[in-house]
Amino acid sequence: MRSLLNTLLGWLGLAPPRLRCRRAVWDAGVDELERRTLSGRRESGAYLLGSQRSDGSRDISEFVFYDDIDPKALDTGIVTIRQTALPRLWEVCRARGLGVVADVHVHPHGYGQSESDQANPVIPRVGHLALILPNFARGRPLPGSIGMYEFLGNGEWASHSGKGARFFRLEG
Ligand SMILES: [Zn+2]
């Protein structure tokens, strides 16, 4: 029912976005992701912590960088999430009173998912959202020019990249 309503509101451009983030938080986080690529020598990424609003949209309030949780996460040049790092992540979530609402990582060129991205969701939970920033996050890419993917389970994903700001709204 709610999803039908949201579909109708979506056609009218009135549906709440699935993701929101304050512009200052996004800009600072994306700048830091670019810095951590060491001038394009490796990929970087972050867990996006936040909370869910009553309208169902998720608010990103903080970037938690993979290499701060696991110093080896970026060592191979491709982001590697080791399960051993997760207890540390849950500790951070508990301390902040926040959950993981999405994740983000950078790619050297385009923002399509790799086979490995599809096979290894960072949080393997249906509805989890994964963002991909192109060009090592140079030039602060915004919704509309980034990859936005929703995990559907069983290795399946839906792309919402083309929805831009209707899916992911930067505010303030
Ligand atoms: Zn990737």
Side-chain angles (χ1 to χ4, degrees):
M1 197 62 192
R2 209 197 85 199
S3 97
L4 175 60
L5 180 60
N6 276 347
T7 304
L8 292 169
L9 290 172
W11 289 336
L12 298 171
L14 298 172
R18 290 282 296 281
L19 265 185
R20 306 167 189 255
C21 186
R22 282 196 301 118
R23 182 67 193 256
V25 170
W26 177 256
D27 284 350
V30 171
D31 283 354
E32 186 60 23
L33 284 173
E34 186 198 356
R35 199 183 66 77
R36 291 180 189 230
T37 69
L38 307 178
S39 305
R41 282 203 290 276
R42 62 182 192 186
E43 297 184 357
S44 63
Y47 304 99
L48 299 174
L49 269 47
S51 50
Q52 187 149 343
R53 294 190 185 188
S54 55
D55 68 6
S57 67
R58 302 176 203 171
D59 248 320
I60 297 168
S61 48
E62 196 172 337
F63 285 56
V64 173
F65 300 94
Y66 290 151
D67 46 324
D68 287 343
I69 292 291
D70 178 359
K72 293 186 182 301
L74 310 180
D75 282 4
T76 65
I78 304 287
V79 167
T80 308
I81 305 291
R82 297 188 302 168
Q83 296 306 307
T84 51
L86 288 179
R88 180 99 202 276
L89 172 65
W90 305 138
E91 210 175 282
V92 172
C93 287
R94 258 200 312 278
R96 307 274 207 284
L98 298 171
V100 177
V101 295
D103 68 79
V104 60
H105 74 284
V106 311
H107 274 183
H109 305 294
Y111 56 72
Q113 284 181 303
S114 68
E115 268 180 42
S116 150
D117 292 337
Q118 293 192 330
N120 303 294
V122 169
I123 307 288
R125 186 196 298 146
V126 170
H128 179 72
L129 301 175
L131 309 179
I132 299 179
L133 308 180
N135 304 318
F136 289 116
R138 290 190 188 106
R140 276 192 196 158
L142 298 172
S145 55
I146 67 174
M148 304 191 287
Y149 305 96
E150 176 179 9
F151 184 55
L152 304 178
N154 297 320
E156 299 291 321
W157 294 79
S159 173
H160 299 288
S161 310
K163 296 177 186 165
R166 282 184 291 126
F167 188 82
F168 178 18
R169 188 182 299 160
L170 295 172
E171 300 172 316

